[in-house]
Amino acid sequence: MDAPWKDYAAERFEQAAALLPWALRQGADRLSKGDKARAEELRLRVGRPPSAVWPEGERPLPGLENTPVQPGDLSLVLEVATQASVHTVLDRVRDGFVTVRGGHRVGLCGTAAVEEGEIRTLRQLSSLAIRVAREVPGAAEGLLPQLLEGGELQSAVLLSPPGGGKTTLLRDLIRRVSDGIGTAPLRVGVADERGELAAMYNGTPQNDLGARTDILDGCPKGPALLMLLRAMNPQVLAADEITAPADAEALAQAAGCGVKLLCTIHGGSLADLRRRPVCRRLMEEGLFRKVVLLQVREGQRVCRVEDLEGALC
């Protein structure tokens, strides 16, 4: 890890750690610059010591190994994250997370308040995860050439378990395609339902997704993809974490219009895709030509690209 990147990555961690109550922030501050640069999440669980997550695992923050998190600590984080206006982000709280300035995401767990079968809000918080948002320019440099055939971008799906780095890789792919780095520049429409790709804040993306990218933030992926298709004339559509039949239907419509697709799906192998009807449909209908399989081995992320033609038969 070179010095400029380490400085940048550590600063992003410190920005995320600033959401913590003062006493817990001291533990985050005690981490070395190298540990800060590699940390992916901060975790608070009531009754347990605060911890951080690295590619190789999770461990308590230094100096706080015997300091249990209190319920009030979680409430303070949420107050800071929402600038003391939880009601203004109620829809995101219902979804179990809040995206804050800088693109960091605060995931929430607790007791759900349910009305007429729908989650209205979360109360009595029991744990939270602050995911550190970082851009990694160049992450897709070696990958993009493998997604080209005859110089033309092919539709691809990025597959990994949670925490495998697929969102980071997708973000850099979007930027490179949009800016024409290693390929012809293309218009990209991004359905950013959870705000993790662009990290929009007051209408401004906190992450660089390229000069020719249009972003629809906070809208369910299925409707968002169709809105982008109809309104913005994209050459490429991108979305993070395809899960629902509506997502698959929208992607099928886009592919039928000649639009290339760049998406991510949770999973550890092609066998995982076979077991999920929505995913299997996408593959069997030929919506994706390439699959990028990401894994973490000995704390390092590795990926390989396979041609999907006939892979699920």
Side-chain angles (χ1 to χ4, degrees):
M1 184 181 296
D2 59 40
W5 165 251
K6 183 183 290 187
D7 290 342
Y8 159 78
E11 287 172 5
R12 296 290 280 175
F13 173 85
E14 289 166 359
Q15 185 182 55
L19 297 171
L20 297 173
W22 183 86
L24 302 186
R25 197 183 312 162
Q26 305 313 299
D29 289 343
R30 293 187 189 103
L31 293 171
S32 68
K33 180 180 287 188
D35 277 347
K36 290 178 180 178
R38 295 190 313 110
E40 299 174 341
E41 294 182 354
L42 288 159
R43 292 267 178 170
L44 304 185
R45 302 178 179 92
V46 172
R48 302 289 183 181
S51 61
V53 177
W54 289 269
E56 65 272 18
E58 180 177 348
R59 65 177 187 267
L61 294 178
L64 299 176
E65 293 86 353
N66 297 311
T67 303
V69 171
Q70 302 300 315
D73 294 328
L74 306 186
S75 299
L76 283 173
V77 171
L78 191 55
E79 277 198 40
V80 174
T82 62
Q83 298 181 335
S85 299
V86 177
H87 64 280
T88 64
V89 290
L90 183 58
D91 288 339
R92 293 295 177 92
V93 173
R94 290 172 188 154
D95 291 336
F97 68 92
V98 177
T99 302
V100 302
R101 185 172 186 174
H104 311 292
R105 194 180 80 166
V106 182
L108 305 165
C109 275
T111 302
V114 180
E115 184 178 325
E116 297 180 355
E118 294 187 0
I119 296 175
R120 296 302 178 186
T121 189
L122 290 173
R123 60 190 181 196
Q124 296 175 338
L125 296 177
S126 59
S127 62
L128 61 80
I130 302 173
R131 183 174 296 181
V132 182
R134 296 190 183 99
E135 296 179 84
V136 186
E141 181 178 5
L143 172 63
L144 183 56
Q146 300 180 68
L147 304 184
L148 304 177
E149 290 187 1
E152 182 178 348
L153 179 69
Q154 303 299 303
S155 293
V157 58
L158 283 63
L159 180 69
S160 84
K166 55 188 178 297
T167 301
T168 298
L169 200 57
L170 176 61
R171 188 185 296 119
D172 195 51
L173 272 175
I174 293 168
R175 182 183 65 85
R176 299 180 77 82
V177 169
S178 176
D179 285 344
I181 303 173
T183 183
L186 299 172
R187 294 185 305 276
V188 184
V190 177
D192 199 10
E193 179 176 359
R194 301 180 307 154
E196 286 197 305
L197 290 169
M200 299 289 280
Y201 186 79
N202 290 339
T204 302
Q206 304 294 290
N207 295 324
D208 182 8
L209 294 189
R212 298 169 183 83
T213 300
D214 301 296
I215 302 153
L216 191 52
D217 172 74
C219 178
K221 285 183 287 290
L225 289 165
L226 292 177
M227 288 175 66
L228 288 163
L229 181 65
R230 293 164 182 157
M232 302 310 296
N233 189 26
Q235 296 165 295
V236 180
L237 279 175
D240 199 19
E241 297 190 12
I242 299 303
T243 58
D247 304 344
E249 182 60 36
L251 291 171
Q253 290 192 41
C257 297
V259 176
K260 301 301 183 182
L261 309 173
L262 295 173
C263 300
T264 70
I265 295 176
H266 278 324
S269 66
L270 288 175
D272 290 342
L273 297 185
R274 296 188 186 99
R275 289 189 285 267
R276 297 168 62 182
V278 169
C279 300
R280 185 174 179 87
R281 175 197 170 184
L282 293 173
M283 308 309 158
E284 289 180 339
E285 293 186 5
L287 270 62
F288 296 105
R289 180 65 184 270
K290 305 285 186 179
V291 60
V292 181
L293 298 163
L294 291 97
Q295 296 178 322
V296 177
R297 296 176 182 169
E298 298 179 353
Q300 300 295 318
R301 291 186 176 85
V302 296
C303 70
R304 73 176 191 274
V305 179
E306 294 186 10
D307 196 314
L308 271 172
E309 187 173 355
L312 296 184
C313 297

